[in-house]
Amino acid sequence: MPIRRLPPELVNQIAAGEVVERPASVVKELLENSLDAGATRIDIDIEQGGVRLIRVRDDGCGITREELAAALASHSTSKISTAADLDAIASLGFRGEALPSIAAVSRLTLASRTDGAASGWQLAGDGREQPGEPLPAALAARGTAIEVRDLFHNVPARRKFLKAERTEFGHIDELVRRLAASRPAVAFTLSHNGRALLRLPAAVDRAGEERRIAELAGSDFLGAALHVDHTAAGLRLHGWVGLPTAARAQADRQFFYVNGRMVRDRLVAHALRQAYADVLFHGRHPAFVLQLELDPQLVDVNAHPQKFEVRFREARLVHDFLFRTLHEVLADTRAGAHAGAGAPAAGGAAGALPDPEMPVPPDAGRWPPPAAPAPQQNRLALGAHESFAVYARLLDGLAPAPAQAGLAAVEPDATAAPPPAVPPLGYALAQLHGIWILAENAAGLVLVDMHAAHERVTYERLKRAHAAEGLRTQPLLVPFGFAVGAREAAAIEAHAEVLAGLGLGIVLAGPDRALLRELPALLADGDIEALVRGVLADLAEHGSSSRVGERHNELLATMACHGSVRARRRLTLAEMNALLRAMEATERSDQCNHGRPTWVQLGLGELDRLFLRGR
């Protein structure tokens, strides 16, 4: 066939293939135009999932009669005029292809009225180069109304690819919610087949913005989220980031915007995954509503026909900013440091850390601890019995509160100074089944999973020690021998330097036996055989030393897990209080290394409801 110029109708239909994928694509383009026009209220009416009708009405600046025809012409826009404008795109839409592309695959009517105009004007478009003359339209106020009927009526092949009505409307509903989350100052309504399904009033203050987020991300989101507002290096990140303990099975509560534009960016996703790497349970997804603001010249939004992807000119700067900001926010989930911990400490600000030397009120040790089991000889023959000397090392610098277990309560002295404020996690009362610590704070009852809590404390200590000066090791007077398989023996030979860097001095004493000559001093009283076998299993699984380097923290987490206090171990009140104080001073102490919560708060009101008090 000879080379020929394609007719305008076919050109617009080809362009529509890039812009209009389904009814939700039409809604996205129309809503972005309304937001760029300065609308403060947008009403969306949908029929039959958007196939029969999509109507969007706004109170934006409107379009003059003279410009209506240009609005439906290809590559016509008011948002850019020169090539230099492409370097600093501040609007959501700018290509000038949306309306003509939509008109090429539907029956479109555009009506608009500007300030000062005696009436509105409307124009019908069907993809032709010359849509005709505008006609008067009955618009009572400033704004624009666009109707898109019979989508893909002239492209039956495209219509066959559409899903069921409920599915297509589900995409529209999700899109409207995501756009509404980025613009809390704009009111939105969404109706389907004449039934109003979403009404979002404009937010004028922080409380209104939080109501908008609760409506869109779920009523439970804000209760398990931290507010973020950080600025550095010309970048600003603000919004809400969900706690790791509130992670979800699906990534359905992830809202991220760049200069108000919702994006799906791999660099952003990687930075967020890294920020949650230490605190998220495997297979779980964090929840967040975050907005990144930066100079429009530093981001290229002209990278995708549907504008979902962007390119950052300083990609490394953006990545590090996102990672460090969220990493620090998530690191500050110390026990009791946020609203999720319950009521603020009496006499002090919520989240205030206690003085490690703070004395215990006279009655804090009124409950005698459970009888401790008889001491057993340490299997490593180090001369230490199975006590909790491990706390003296793991909690070094965080002196346990000096509770006098087993002593009678002391009557308070009326002339003495008032007792100090109760710390966020309060003071230990008892131990339950050798698994949970029960503590009393200003808000009520605190339940602590002692293994999970101690695991996080140990893990953070190991990380800090390794980063600062390397792990201090302790040689064994009598090497500890254990049997190994061929895979474990190969891992010992291949990763001797890695093991030494982790503080484990292991040598082979034969084809099926190994000797442990030294180990990290902090973990001398832990389950050493389980620790060594766990580390060797990780090394054998991941093969090369480079891969082990990437999973350095995972290996430290394995060491912390095996080196932490186990279930069924009896603690004294002093040891329990020492753990509570360590949790309050430890980053990310609200969850263990596997993403499980380390403690929960039962407020006085919840306890009253359990026992029907006041009814």
Side-chain angles (χ1 to χ4, degrees):
M1 296 179 62
I3 297 175
R4 66 187 70 184
R5 186 179 181 87
L6 295 176
E9 294 85 353
L10 184 55
V11 171
N12 287 336
Q13 288 186 3
I14 294 173
E18 295 182 342
V19 177
V20 184
E21 179 184 2
R22 60 191 337 143
S25 305
V26 176
V27 176
K28 176 179 181 294
E29 297 292 343
L30 299 184
L31 292 184
E32 288 181 345
N33 281 342
S34 295
L35 293 173
D36 283 340
T40 61
R41 179 180 179 84
I42 303 176
D43 300 309
I44 307 106
D45 298 306
I46 306 296
E47 293 182 10
Q48 294 183 6
V51 175
R52 179 178 179 181
L53 172 67
I54 298 173
R55 180 188 297 116
V56 175
R57 294 171 292 181
D58 65 55
D59 61 352
C61 63
I63 305 173
T64 64
R65 178 185 184 280
E66 293 75 17
E67 292 178 325
L68 282 178
L72 294 179
S74 298
H75 311 301
S76 298
T77 181
S78 62
K79 301 167 187 179
I80 59 173
S81 58
T82 66
D85 293 338
L86 291 176
D87 293 331
I89 299 294
S91 61
L92 298 178
F94 57 91
R95 292 173 178 268
E97 296 177 1
L99 290 181
S101 296
I102 295 170
V105 292
S106 68
R107 296 184 173 92
L108 183 145
T109 301
L110 169 63
S112 190
R113 180 175 178 175
T114 58
D115 274 332
S119 65
W121 296 89
Q122 71 178 20
L123 193 63
D126 57 4
R128 295 181 300 175
E129 192 72 20
Q130 297 296 330
E133 289 295 322
L135 300 175
L139 293 179
R142 186 191 75 171
T144 300
I146 299 180
E147 288 188 359
V148 178
R149 295 183 178 274
D150 301 328
L151 187 62
F152 297 136
H153 72 94
N154 54 351
V155 191
R158 295 289 302 279
R159 196 161 189 168
K160 291 179 181 179
F161 282 93
L162 296 180
K163 304 299 182 183
E165 175 180 329
R166 181 176 180 179
T167 301
E168 294 299 339
F169 179 75
H171 288 290
I172 295 173
D173 179 72
E174 176 69 13
L175 171 77
V176 173
R177 290 174 179 272
R178 288 186 174 273
L179 277 173
S182 69
R183 302 297 178 99
V186 180
F188 288 84
T189 63
L190 174 63
S191 301
H192 187 220
N193 294 333
R195 179 185 176 189
L197 300 179
L198 188 65
R199 295 183 184 275
L200 300 173
V204 296
D205 53 17
R206 171 74 176 273
E209 186 175 353
E210 291 183 349
R211 285 192 296 270
R212 168 74 61 93
I213 297 301
E215 174 74 18
L216 300 175
S219 58
D220 59 334
F221 172 73
L222 287 178
L226 306 175
H227 188 258
V228 182
D229 195 341
H230 181 65
T231 302
L235 307 174
R236 182 192 177 203
L237 183 69
H238 61 98
W240 288 266
V241 55
L243 291 170
T245 49
R248 299 172 61 80
Q250 297 179 343
D252 57 344
R253 286 190 183 175
Q254 296 184 350
F255 301 76
F256 195 91
Y257 309 90
V258 176
N259 289 344
R261 180 190 304 273
M262 55 182 181
V263 300
R264 297 191 297 260
D265 187 80
R266 286 178 292 180
L267 179 141
V268 170
H270 184 266
L272 293 175
R273 282 197 305 269
Q274 279 197 328
Y276 275 94
D278 252 359
V279 293
L280 204 61
F281 196 75
H282 296 296
R284 304 289 289 179
H285 302 273
F288 50 81
V289 179
L290 294 170
Q291 299 215 35
L292 175 65
E293 297 179 4
L294 70 166
D295 188 334
Q297 293 185 348
L298 299 178
V299 57
D300 179 12
V301 299
N302 195 26
H304 191 273
Q306 296 180 353
K307 302 184 289 294
F308 280 120
E309 299 177 4
V310 297
R311 293 192 186 99
F312 297 103
R313 303 192 190 279
E314 298 289 344
R316 191 66 202 177
L317 173 66
V318 173
H319 181 280
D320 290 348
F321 172 76
L322 293 175
F323 167 73
R324 293 183 183 279
T325 300
L326 296 181
H327 184 77
E328 291 175 2
V329 170
L330 294 173
D332 199 23
T333 58
R334 296 184 303 271
H338 298 288
L353 295 181
D355 184 346
E357 304 297 332
M358 178 189 298
V360 178
D363 62 346
R366 62 185 181 272
W367 299 108
Q376 299 177 359
Q377 191 67 20
N378 185 286
R379 66 189 305 169
L380 296 180
L382 297 176
H385 58 76
E386 284 283 340
S387 68
F388 281 91
V390 64
Y391 275 109
R393 288 184 289 273
L394 292 174
L395 307 181
D396 183 27
L398 292 167
Q404 301 297 319
L407 298 182
V410 179
E411 291 296 330
D413 185 355
T415 62
V422 178
L425 291 184
Y427 295 104
L429 300 174
Q431 193 178 12
L432 181 63
H433 286 291
I435 299 175
W436 294 281
I437 294 173
L438 281 64
E440 177 185 357
N441 67 355
L445 178 67
V446 175
L447 297 176
V448 177
D449 183 333
M450 68 181 193
H451 171 72
H454 191 207
E455 183 179 7
R456 170 57 72 179
V457 171
T458 305
Y459 180 41
E460 295 298 332
R461 289 293 305 276
L462 286 172
K463 288 198 300 182
R464 290 197 300 270
H466 194 85
E469 56 184 21
L471 293 177
R472 290 180 293 175
T473 60
Q474 173 180 322
L476 302 182
L477 296 177
V478 179
F480 173 63
F482 58 99
V484 294
R487 193 178 183 207
E488 292 174 321
I492 292 173
E493 288 186 331
H495 303 292
E497 292 184 1
V498 176
L499 289 169
L502 294 173
L504 297 172
I506 306 176
V507 295
L508 291 175
D512 57 357
R513 190 166 181 79
L515 294 177
L516 176 67
R517 297 185 182 276
E518 66 177 2
L519 71 164
L522 292 176
L523 304 178
D525 289 330
D527 188 344
I528 300 303
E529 183 173 355
L531 181 153
V532 172
R533 292 194 183 280
V535 171
L536 291 179
D538 281 343
L539 289 173
E541 179 181 354
H542 299 294
S544 66
S545 59
S546 61
R547 294 182 63 183
V548 171
E550 294 174 359
R551 296 195 58 188
H552 174 259
N553 282 346
E554 283 83 347
L555 290 176
L556 291 181
T558 299
M559 298 174 70
C561 181
H562 291 297
S564 299
V565 60
R566 315 303 293 181
R568 313 300 178 188
R569 298 287 293 271
R570 296 295 185 179
L571 305 181
T572 66
L573 280 178
E575 290 166 340
M576 288 185 251
N577 281 313
L579 181 56
L580 296 178
R581 302 293 81 77
M583 291 171 62
E584 291 164 348
T586 300
E587 295 179 343
R588 310 172 187 88
S589 62
D590 280 354
Q591 60 281 320
C592 74
N593 312 340
H594 312 293
R596 295 189 298 109
T598 59
W599 67 282
V600 295
Q601 172 83 63
L602 292 177
L604 295 177
E606 294 174 272
L607 295 174
D608 287 343
R609 286 192 294 272
L610 288 175
F611 293 95
L612 305 180
R613 286 173 56 86
R615 299 187 183 181

